[in-house]
Amino acid sequence: MAEVSDTIAAEVASPVPDLLLDGDGVSLEYFDVGPRDGQVVLCLHGLLDSCYHWGQDARVTGPLVARGFRVVAASCRGHGGSSKHYDPAMYGDKLVEDQLRLLDKLKVDKAHLVGYSMGAETAIALTVRHPGRFRSLCVCCSGWTESTKPYEDAIFYLKCMKMFWYPCCCPCVCLLAMRCLGSAAPVFDVGAGIALTRSMGALIPVEEDAMKAIAVPVCGIAAEKDPERISLERMEGVVPDFTLTVLPKAGHEDAPKHPLYQKTIIEHLQKCMNCI
């Protein structure tokens, strides 16, 4: 592993978020840590999560920086410390545009992509729509999804949560509890999550010809007990350079804490360091 300076090590251990102001008035919270001359790994989190996922849950940020990568991760609009909106028109394709705008601001021509759940679906959209911008792709706990049904099903549960989430100070209590447990991640906004789920039809599904045209190495990580596993298995035999790793006994939510999750991401990226 590469030597990590004390300054970089401190940044990774306790990153201070920056803000990117988009053209439509949306601010995005993001981290940019690691050596400035390292290959960039752009990480995309899942629904109702934030950029903190990659350091606190998946715990891949530190190991990647130690291997010479520069890690960039934003909280998608509607999440974390980024702007919250309650109109579905403010999401959809804008999730893709935000990531490109971030790369442009950082003057990054090409990056590796790693996405978890919703982030995996967004990463696929980025890869097929802008193939020249990415060196490799790693999709975790979701992949080539046939329909938006998982998001449509989620709306009911999110609405139920909203019924008791907003009328009282529950978010404040939860936020305080998270702070006491050492988490820096903001409490999610259920209303923004509902708006986002209604917009996902703009990202999925992706045509089979587009999947066949993916020209970069693709790594899939599926949890054995996750219903989303089928969306990763669909990619076998379709995406030209595709490998699939299944996490034994893991489900969708606990997959990022599985030791094989971190190991697979790191090994995939190291293998792809020489990708054009």
Side-chain angles (χ1 to χ4, degrees):
M1 288 189 293
E3 292 295 325
V4 180
S5 71
D6 291 341
T7 300
I8 292 176
E11 287 179 350
V12 174
S14 184
V16 178
D18 290 311
L19 283 177
L20 167 66
L21 185 63
D22 288 343
D24 57 4
V26 172
S27 60
L28 292 180
E29 166 192 59
Y30 73 93
F31 295 138
D32 177 8
V33 295
R36 300 299 89 182
D37 60 349
Q39 291 187 9
V40 173
V41 181
L42 180 63
C43 298
L44 287 73
H45 64 79
L47 180 67
L48 302 180
D49 205 335
S50 74
C51 58
Y52 295 93
H53 169 90
W54 300 103
Q56 294 184 348
D57 294 331
R59 298 179 182 177
V60 298
T61 304
L64 287 177
V65 169
R67 287 163 173 79
F69 289 99
R70 176 181 170 186
V71 181
V72 176
S75 294
C76 297
R77 57 175 67 201
H79 296 74
S82 298
S83 297
K84 311 296 190 298
H85 293 274
Y86 306 100
D87 179 1
M90 291 298 292
Y91 297 97
D93 287 332
K94 294 182 184 295
L95 298 177
V96 171
E97 296 167 6
D98 285 342
Q99 301 299 327
L100 293 173
R101 194 173 291 112
L102 178 57
L103 291 179
D104 289 343
K105 180 199 174 180
L106 299 176
K107 295 181 170 56
V108 175
D109 294 328
K110 282 197 169 186
H112 301 276
L113 272 176
V114 180
Y116 167 74
S117 192
M118 178 190 78
E121 293 153 4
T122 308
I124 288 176
L126 278 161
T127 303
V128 300
R129 297 181 189 185
H130 305 277
R133 299 297 299 268
F134 304 104
R135 300 175 183 271
S136 70
L137 172 64
C138 182
V139 286
C140 313
C141 297
S142 191
W144 184 25
T145 308
E146 289 187 271
S147 72
T148 59
K149 189 176 186 302
Y151 289 94
E152 292 163 3
D153 291 344
I155 291 175
F156 170 77
Y157 298 102
L158 287 170
K159 284 185 174 180
C160 290
M161 292 175 67
K162 188 176 180 181
M163 289 175 63
F164 68 83
W165 192 255
Y166 289 122
C168 63
C169 62
C170 183
C172 301
V173 173
C174 291
L175 181 58
L176 177 61
M178 291 173 70
R179 292 288 187 268
C180 292
L181 292 172
S183 173
V187 174
F188 60 80
D189 189 305
V190 179
I194 292 173
L196 185 146
T197 57
R198 295 187 185 279
S199 76
M200 290 304 290
L203 294 183
I204 49 179
V206 176
E207 295 294 331
E208 182 172 342
D209 287 346
M211 298 297 292
K212 288 180 177 179
I214 294 177
V216 297
V218 182
C219 168
I221 301 177
E224 182 181 21
K225 299 180 180 180
D226 185 1
E228 289 290 324
R229 175 178 171 179
I230 190 172
S231 69
L232 287 148
E233 293 173 340
R234 285 184 72 217
M235 297 172 70
E236 293 184 297
V238 177
V239 177
D241 186 357
F242 178 75
T243 58
L244 178 62
T245 298
V246 178
L247 309 180
K249 300 179 181 180
H252 187 87
E253 299 299 331
D254 62 349
K257 296 185 182 298
H258 194 288
L260 194 55
Y261 184 92
Q262 180 198 81
K263 180 175 183 289
T264 303
I265 292 174
I266 292 171
E267 289 181 351
H268 165 73
L269 289 168
Q270 285 190 296
K271 182 183 73 174
C272 295
M273 284 191 82
N274 295 322
C275 296
I276 298 175

